[in-house]
């Protein structure tokens, strides 16, 4: 009965969505003046849904007001933005409930669960818009271009979100093993460094992560030979999570755990508690997202522990390969989409393209003049409020066309080094978007991996239990998925 009811509800939802469709998919169609704001004769309204940027957020309201002013001044476009509030909770889930209710904004930010919307033809193919763009096509990264070819509905021009390990520089400078680690960051040299850094910092452990080992994998996967999702073996393509390479990696993590180097409470850590134990000296090393996040960690550490505690970025472990993991190019995992039902599609993309222009970037990257930055002698000087509060909502290209004062850089040394390090080790993955018929099976297979990897690392199960896990993984759907991979991967 539950299945019948669920099917009926989904059919009803699709019907509501389909009923909203009355526009063509031609990207060159003329925009309309639908949604004209009261008192703004001639203004065209774009409805936007963006995580945390509802009308209850005063900074977001100011941001879109200033964006409207910039569009009018620089492009003579009279545009108003109608911000949609998303209910608190899981954003992907709440957003889809909003969309299934029939309210489909013109511009939509997704953070997961977009494919089922795209599969219903409700998201616009961005390819022709980008080809004709003035600015966006020139700021895209190779991985943006590859992802767009594979999945043309989402765009997210940001640095890669790889995790890089960081440590306090004052402790790093005291460690005799630091130079060896930087010159030859083998797994064994990493372990030696971990042991020494615990003694120098008098910490409880060497490294912690937030809840599972994925953050640690960015540093160690490639050293163990895990350079792609599907490894090329004698039997064909094999998923790395059932490979001998993963078994060897789990054995290494188990050793770190047994020797007190890996936080014994890592499974219960959240991102905020992970950061807290790093700042207060209970752990020596944490992985952080390269770029802005490393800057936030660095600034907070210096405030709490003094200037000498600024952060040092550590290299990826070196072994069979070296790097911070292969980059998934199957699709953007998050990003901006244009509704195929919008009557303002050209206008929406004009806004996105403007945000990639020098004028748009000045707002998006720097914030509000007089509050987040000032212009002194032709150079941008960032304020403390910028460092504490501001982030780019839309695009973060590698280069900007405004000059920032050396005394107030967009990113500090550690953050800049983290970006460069990730870029230096860039390589592409061979993962693919999971077909719908495998989704439920994949969830079960993932749960098996999480259970067995946690139990093996913490000693609840012996290392040999990995072989039992592999059998269960294949039985839970891995066999058919592996066949699919071998039939479709080149």
């Amino acid at each position: 009965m539950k299945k019948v009811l669920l099917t009926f509800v989904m059919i009803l939802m699709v019907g509501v969505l389909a009923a909203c469709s009355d526009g063509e998919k031609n990207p060159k169609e003329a925009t309309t003046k639908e949604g004209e704001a009261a008192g703004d004769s001639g203004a065209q309204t774009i409805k936007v849904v963006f995580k945390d940027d509802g009308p209850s957020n005063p900074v977001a309201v100011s941001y879109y007001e200033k964006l409207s002013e910039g569009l009018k001044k620089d492009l003579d476009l009279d545009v108003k933005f109608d911000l949609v509030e998303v209910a608190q909770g899981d954003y992907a889930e709440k957003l889809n409930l909003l969309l299934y209710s029939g309210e489909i904004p013109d511009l939509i930010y997704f953070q997961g669960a977009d494919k089922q919307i795209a599969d219903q033809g409700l998201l616009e193919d961005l390819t022709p818009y980008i080809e004709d763009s003035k600015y966006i096509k020139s700021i895209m990264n190779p991985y943006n271009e590859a992802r767009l070819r594979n999945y043309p509905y989402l765009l997210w021009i940001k640095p890669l979100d790889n995790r890089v390990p960081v440590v306090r520089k004052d402790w790093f400078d005291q460690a005799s093993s630091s130079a060896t680690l930087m010159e030859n960051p083998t797994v064994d040299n990493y372990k030696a460094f971990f042991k020494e850094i615990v003694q120098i910092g008098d910490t409880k452990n060497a490294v912690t992560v937030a809840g599972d080992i994925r953050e640690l994998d960015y540093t160690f996967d490639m050293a163990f030979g895990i350079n792609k999702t599907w490894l090329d073996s004698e039997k064909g393509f094999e998923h790395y999570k059932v490979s001998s390479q993963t078994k060897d990696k789990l054995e290494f993590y188990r050793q770190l755990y047994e020797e007190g180097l890996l936080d014994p409470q890592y499974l219960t850590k959240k991102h905020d508690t992970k950061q807290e134990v790093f700042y207060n000296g209970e752990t020596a090393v944490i992985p952080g997202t390269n770029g802005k996040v490393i800057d936030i960690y660095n600034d907070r550490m210096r405030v709490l522990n003094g200037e000498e505690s600024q952060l040092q970025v550590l290299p990826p472990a070196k072994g069979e390969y070296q790097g911070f993991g292969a980059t998934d190019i199957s699709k953007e995992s998050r990003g901006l989409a244009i509704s195929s039902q919008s009557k303002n599609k050209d206008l929406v993309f004009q806004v996105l393209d403007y945000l990639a222009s020098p004028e748009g970037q000045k707002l998006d990257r720097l914030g509000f003049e007089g509050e987040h930055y000032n212009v002194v002698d032709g150079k941008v000087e960032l304020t403390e409020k910028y460092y504490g509060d501001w982030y780019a909502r839309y695009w973060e290209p590698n280069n900007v066309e405004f000059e920032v004062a050396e005394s107030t850089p967009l990113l500090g040394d550690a953050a800049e080094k983290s970006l460069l390090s990730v870029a230096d080790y860039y390589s592409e993955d061979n993962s693919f978007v999971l077909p719908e018929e495998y989704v439920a099976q994949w969830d079960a297979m993932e749960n098996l991996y999480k259970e067995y990897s946690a139990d093996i690392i913490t000693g609840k199960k012996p290392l040999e239990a990995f072989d039992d896990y592999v059998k269960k993984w294949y039985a839970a759907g891995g066999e058919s998925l592996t066949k699919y991979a071998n039939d479709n991967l080149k």
Side-chain angles (χ1 to χ4, degrees), residues 438-455:
Y438 291 104
V439 171
Q441 293 177 327
W442 179 252
D443 288 343
M445 292 151 64
E446 275 290 271
N447 288 334
L448 278 171
Y449 178 72
K450 290 176 181 177
E451 174 193 342
Y452 273 81
S453 60
D455 287 349

Side-chain angles (χ1 to χ4, degrees), residues 110-114 147 154 156 161 328 331-335:
F110 282 97
Q111 193 167 302
D114 53 277
R147 289 168 177 172
L154 290 187
W156 195 238
D161 60 353
D328 182 358
K331 67 184 290 290
E332 299 286 359
S333 60
R334 64 177 69 188

Side-chain angles (χ1 to χ4, degrees), residues 60-349:
V61 171
S62 295
Y63 174 88
Y64 285 96
E65 286 175 351
K66 292 183 183 297
L67 178 55
S68 293
E69 294 169 7
L71 289 164
K72 181 65 176 175
K73 175 178 176 289
D74 299 320
L75 300 183
D76 197 29
L77 286 177
D78 199 356
V79 181
K80 300 300 176 186
F81 295 93
D82 179 11
L83 304 185
V84 178
E85 197 80 58
V86 179
Q88 292 295 312
D90 182 271
Y91 177 74
E93 176 186 326
K94 300 301 182 183
L95 174 62
N96 273 12
L97 287 175
L98 174 76
L99 299 177
Y100 283 137
S101 74
E103 182 175 359
I104 307 178
D106 303 286
L107 180 60
I108 308 168
Y109 169 75
F110 282 97
Q111 193 167 302
D114 53 277
K115 191 174 184 299
Q116 58 187 296
I117 304 298
D119 286 347
Q120 295 175 46
L122 294 165
L123 300 183
E124 189 77 358
D125 183 340
L126 299 176
T127 306
Y129 295 90
I130 292 170
E131 288 175 350
D132 290 343
S133 66
K134 185 175 181 180
Y135 298 104
I136 281 182
K137 64 184 176 184
S138 65
I139 68 168
M140 291 177 66
N141 300 294
Y143 49 88
N144 296 131
E145 295 170 353
R147 289 168 177 172
L148 194 74
R149 286 194 295 271
N150 292 323
Y151 186 84
Y153 309 109
L154 290 187
L155 186 62
W156 195 238
I157 305 172
K158 296 274 190 176
L160 291 172
D161 60 353
N162 297 36
R163 308 301 192 270
V164 299
V166 289
V167 64
R168 285 177 53 160
K169 193 172 188 307
D170 52 349
W171 294 355
F172 174 85
D173 289 341
Q174 294 176 54
S176 61
S177 56
S178 295
T180 302
L181 178 68
M182 299 303 286
E183 292 171 6
N184 188 26
T186 63
V187 168
D188 289 339
N189 286 342
Y190 245 108
K191 187 175 179 182
F193 174 78
F194 281 165
K195 287 181 177 180
E196 187 179 9
I197 208 72
V198 166
Q199 296 175 344
I200 289 172
D202 192 23
T203 64
K204 291 183 178 180
N205 50 74
V207 62
T208 193
V209 290
D212 60 38
I213 59 174
R214 286 178 298 175
E215 291 185 320
L216 208 56
D217 288 346
Y218 282 96
T219 300
F220 293 105
D221 260 356
M222 295 188 79
F224 284 94
I226 304 169
N227 67 325
K228 294 187 186 304
T229 295
W230 293 92
L231 304 178
D232 199 355
S233 70
E234 294 180 355
K235 299 178 181 179
F237 287 110
E238 173 187 55
H239 199 281
Y240 81 93
K241 287 185 177 178
V242 288
S243 67
S244 61
Q245 291 92 326
T246 289
K247 184 176 182 180
D248 292 341
K249 179 187 68 178
L250 293 180
E251 182 179 18
F252 172 67
Y253 290 167
R254 182 187 179 101
Q255 292 170 5
L256 296 182
Y257 186 90
E258 288 174 345
E259 296 180 33
L261 300 176
L262 174 60
D263 180 5
Q265 297 179 329
Y266 82 91
L267 285 168
T268 59
K269 284 285 191 295
K270 304 295 184 184
H271 285 287
D272 56 343
T273 53
K274 176 191 83 170
Q275 295 163 26
E276 181 182 344
V277 296
F278 181 54
Y279 298 141
N280 68 23
E282 291 182 42
T283 197
V285 176
I286 62 170
T289 305
N290 68 116
K292 183 67 174 178
V293 171
I294 297 300
D295 233 4
I296 294 171
Y297 289 0
N298 188 64
D299 290 343
R300 185 64 176 160
M301 181 65 82
R302 288 165 53 232
V303 167
L304 294 175
N305 297 292
E307 191 65 31
E308 68 279 1
S309 67
Q310 61 185 295
L311 300 185
Q312 169 72 43
V313 175
L314 301 177
K318 182 179 180 181
E320 187 172 346
Y321 304 99
Q322 185 180 16
F324 289 110
T327 297
D328 182 358
I329 59 168
S330 61
K331 67 184 290 290
E332 299 286 359
S333 60
R334 64 177 69 188
L336 278 301
I338 298 176
S339 166
S340 64
Q341 314 308 303
S342 172
K343 295 181 178 180
N344 290 316
K345 288 179 278 192
D346 278 354
L347 180 62
V348 173
F349 191 82

Side-chain angles (χ1 to χ4, degrees), residues 354-373:
Y354 173 75
L355 285 163
S357 72
E359 297 83 6
Q361 275 288 287
K362 202 165 189 180
L363 169 63
D364 201 36
R365 295 291 290 275
L366 301 180
F368 309 150
E369 186 171 3
E371 186 175 350
H372 299 102
Y373 73 95

